Amino acid sequence: MIDDLQQDEARTASVVGLAQKLIRRPSRGGIDDCGPVLAVVEDWLEDRSLPHRRLHDDAGGLVGLLVEISGGRPGAWWTLDACMDTAPYGDEEAWSFPPASGGIVDGWLLGRGAADSKLAAAMFCHIAADLAPRAEALHGGLTVLLDVDEHTGGFGGARAYLADPHAARPAGVMIGYPGLGEVVVGGRGLWRASIAVHAPSGHSGSRRTVVGAISRAAHLVRLLDKTELPGADGVSGFPLSPKLSVTAFHGGQGFSVTPDRCDLNVDVRTTPGFDAHDAERLVREAVAELDAELPAPSPTEVTPVASWPPFRLAEAEQPAAALLGAAAAAGLTVRAKTAGPSNIGNLLAGEGIPATAGFGVPYEGLHGIDERAHLAELPTVYAVYRRAVLDLLRAG
């Protein structure tokens, strides 16, 4: 018993130590070179003779790292996924500690990426190292995906992984987003479009009255805002309602010219009962109403830019069942949650791959100032993921 406790303490210290090194390598998505943060993991994996390889996108850019532990018996492959790129720092003067601190104060691991998701990346690498010596007894295999193109919105690591002909396609994925009280088993989807609103240009001081592009675009925003969306879908059991937001509005410059174009971004969060087709139809109907009420020389243009399906696993579906069961076995009371924001689970759902998208340590400041992760719960979270993986790989 004492030996087991000492082993757990040593493992926890090792996980935290690796996470600290990762936090101290800035890896803000689309800003920093992510090669240095991946090199930290590569050195760690090489010291333990764990098989790994880098992932690149079609243009040759570095987008992730794969660790692959192949079992000695036939079976499905399962994936642990954590991102190692991060959100930007924001106003660094507002932080009470350096964003790349990696320090520990009062049981909190400090710095950008502590919560999302460098601590999870360190934990998943340790689980791979823990399983490697017993690989011959495992059915199928375990992949650890470390994505460094997640916070850009590109999910390049995940896309490269799924497109890699040498990688085993996963039967399911567990994503290491933080939060102790919930296992995220679903999320709303999205449909996004850019809209170009046109109008005649003119001088703001002219005697001729022109309904400019900005005025037309503002009217379109009002039309979109007043549209009625359905409520939560009681038939499918999906607990959230769809949501429409205008998230960008650009047009004109200076004072004396009414512009001939204004551009909008529209984000619609979708559900099984209100999907991407419904979202596009709603937006195009509002655009048609605009063009009928306030005609312009050119019709308003709608350009779809992204579409992800909603997803939701039943609690009995894998890998949700394994993760929920392991949490219960560890004495935790957790609930299955469907998240409002979309996440990489939606991308996987589009590929037909079931995923959980969150269970981890408590946290504060995710994507904001003073990001930190609470370490007291780390041994329990580690044990839950380890048990879930072993259950999926049918290793007693």
Side-chain angles (χ1 to χ4, degrees):
M1 188 72 171
I2 294 176
D3 289 344
D4 290 343
L5 179 60
Q6 291 175 336
Q7 185 179 25
D8 289 344
E9 290 176 348
R11 180 190 297 118
T12 298
S14 181
V15 172
V16 173
L18 178 56
Q20 288 178 294
K21 292 180 180 178
L22 299 177
I23 292 167
R24 289 166 182 158
R25 301 296 191 280
S27 55
R28 293 163 292 178
I31 299 174
D32 297 311
D33 176 8
C34 289
V37 75
L38 284 183
V40 171
V41 177
E42 288 172 319
D43 289 344
W44 191 91
L45 295 168
E46 287 169 7
D47 287 344
R48 289 154 183 81
S49 300
L50 294 175
H52 61 278
R53 55 193 173 90
R54 290 189 170 194
L55 293 170
H56 297 85
D57 60 20
D58 292 340
L62 179 61
V63 291
L65 186 75
L66 279 188
V67 185
E68 295 165 307
I69 306 298
S70 180
R73 302 178 182 180
W77 280 69
W78 303 88
T79 297
L80 297 173
D81 171 32
C83 61
M84 291 210 305
D85 66 332
T86 71
Y89 294 154
D91 182 4
E92 295 186 44
E93 295 298 321
W95 288 63
S96 59
F97 49 83
S101 167
I104 298 173
V105 176
D106 297 331
W108 291 88
L109 175 63
L110 310 180
R112 178 65 82 224
D116 184 13
S117 296
K118 291 181 177 181
L119 184 59
M123 180 176 62
F124 290 166
C125 287
H126 279 75
I127 290 175
D130 194 7
L131 266 58
R134 59 189 302 180
E136 286 301 315
L138 305 180
H139 294 258
L142 172 69
T143 298
V144 175
L145 168 63
L146 304 177
D147 197 327
V148 292
D149 188 36
E150 199 257 33
H151 283 85
T152 63
F155 299 103
R159 294 181 189 278
Y161 166 43
L162 296 177
D164 190 335
H166 303 294
R169 190 169 182 84
V173 178
M174 291 179 282
I175 305 162
Y177 296 139
L180 190 68
E182 301 159 340
V183 171
V184 176
V185 298
R188 284 189 294 205
L190 60 81
W191 180 84
R192 290 174 175 164
S194 60
I195 301 177
V197 179
H198 302 282
S201 63
H203 196 289
S204 60
S206 172
R207 293 183 179 183
R208 184 170 65 96
T209 299
V210 173
V211 180
I214 291 177
S215 295
R216 296 189 75 241
H219 187 65
L220 177 58
V221 172
R222 289 191 290 271
L223 292 174
L224 292 170
D225 283 345
K226 76 177 186 180
T227 56
E228 293 188 10
L229 298 173
D233 185 359
V235 176
S236 70
F238 198 85
L240 299 176
S241 303
K243 181 181 179 182
L244 184 152
S245 303
V246 177
T247 57
F249 191 109
H250 304 286
Q253 62 183 37
F255 293 92
S256 62
V257 177
T258 57
D260 59 2
R261 176 171 172 150
C262 188
D263 294 287
L264 312 179
N265 287 349
V266 176
D267 177 283
V268 185
R269 298 304 166 118
T270 61
T271 67
F274 187 85
D275 62 14
H277 175 78
D278 299 314
E280 182 167 2
R281 184 182 69 246
L282 180 150
V283 170
R284 290 191 182 277
E285 286 175 352
V287 163
E289 185 175 349
L290 168 71
D291 287 347
E293 292 181 2
L294 298 174
S298 299
T300 302
E301 302 168 53
V302 179
T303 305
V305 296
S307 179
W308 287 354
F311 76 102
R312 185 169 187 267
L313 302 186
E315 294 183 29
E317 291 181 80
Q318 298 293 14
L323 195 53
L324 288 164
L332 297 177
T333 301
V334 298
R335 69 183 183 95
K337 176 185 176 182
T338 300
S342 304
N343 55 63
I344 196 171
N346 299 91
L347 171 66
L348 295 165
E351 296 282 339
I353 299 171
T356 60
F359 171 76
V361 299
Y363 65 94
E364 293 178 356
L366 188 146
H367 290 190
I369 63 169
D370 288 353
E371 182 176 341
R372 65 190 78 195
H374 202 243
L375 296 175
E377 295 81 5
L378 178 59
T380 301
V381 172
Y382 183 96
V384 168
Y385 272 108
R386 181 181 183 276
R387 179 72 265 164
V389 169
L390 289 173
D391 287 346
L392 291 168
L393 299 176
R394 292 179 288 168

